[in-house]
Amino acid sequence: MEKLLSCIVPFLDSRVLIDNLFANAEKFPTSIEIILVHDSIIPLDERVLGDLRERIPCDLIYLSGDFGSAGTARNAGLEIATGKWISFWDSDDEVLMAGIEELIQSSEDYEVILGAFKVKRSDSDTEPRIYLPSRMNLVAFPGIWRFIFKHALIGDNRFNELKLGEDICFLMDIDAVNSKRKVVKEPFYIYKLDRKSTRLNSSHANISYA
């Protein structure tokens, strides 16, 4: 059965991911599926997965294996994704699910939804800063997690095996720059800086995916 949205989440360290899923379990609508792709030959405890599936109302799919890179892990998720739309989340970030169904359902005439996002630091008490998509160059700042792609646009395209820059290559392969984009000024993603070696400012971004 086709879902509205497939959310593909590659991860290495399960602790933060599991905490995030439990904390936000009731916010996930039944119209989505979450595909967890664990880059490890040692799978998660079945009891943990069972507890998650009991708490989360949407479909939760789990894969594990020696994938070797975030791109390859995302490809594994793409192979089984049933969603009409596809998103790629970082495992330590947070997605603002309120209104996500309505946003996607109102975007039928588009191929890509490009969202604003918040940046949050755990070592700061200040309000998360909002970055508007109109200020971000797609090539200079790919930020694959701030996109929602129509599955048909992706087609048979896949991420390469690079550990740095694979998202830029993917965006070029699907010609995201020339796609029919819906730009959203209301954030639906919180990017957490405390767990990444990342710097952002209003005009450019330097990102390490290592």
Side-chain angles (χ1 to χ4, degrees), residues 17-28 52 55 94:
L17 172 64
I18 298 303
D19 288 346
N20 276 348
L21 290 174
F22 273 121
N24 296 283
E26 297 177 358
K27 299 178 183 178
F28 299 115
L52 280 172
R55 290 280 302 279
E94 183 178 344

Side-chain angles (χ1 to χ4, degrees), residues 18 22 36 44-56 60 62:
I18 298 303
F22 273 121
L36 306 179
L44 285 178
D45 191 310
E46 283 294 334
R47 292 171 296 181
V48 175
L49 289 171
D51 288 344
L52 280 172
R53 289 187 173 114
E54 286 185 6
R55 290 280 302 279
I56 295 176
L60 182 69
Y62 173 76

Side-chain angles (χ1 to χ4, degrees), residues 81-145:
T82 67
K84 188 172 184 178
W85 293 79
I86 303 288
S87 63
F88 302 100
W89 300 348
D90 281 2
S91 61
D92 52 352
D93 292 337
E94 183 178 344
V95 181
L96 305 172
M97 297 304 299
I100 200 79
E101 287 178 294
E102 292 80 2
L103 170 63
I104 293 174
Q105 288 168 349
S106 66
S107 305
E108 182 60 34
D109 293 335
Y110 297 89
E111 296 174 304
V112 172
I113 302 170
L114 176 59
F117 60 95
K118 295 182 179 181
V119 174
K120 183 178 180 180
R121 298 190 68 105
S122 63
D123 58 357
S124 173
D125 294 328
T126 60
E127 285 293 312
R129 183 173 180 179
I130 296 177
Y131 287 81
L132 298 176
S134 58
R135 296 179 180 177
M136 294 295 186
N137 181 280
L138 295 186
V139 175
F141 180 61
I144 201 80
W145 35 264

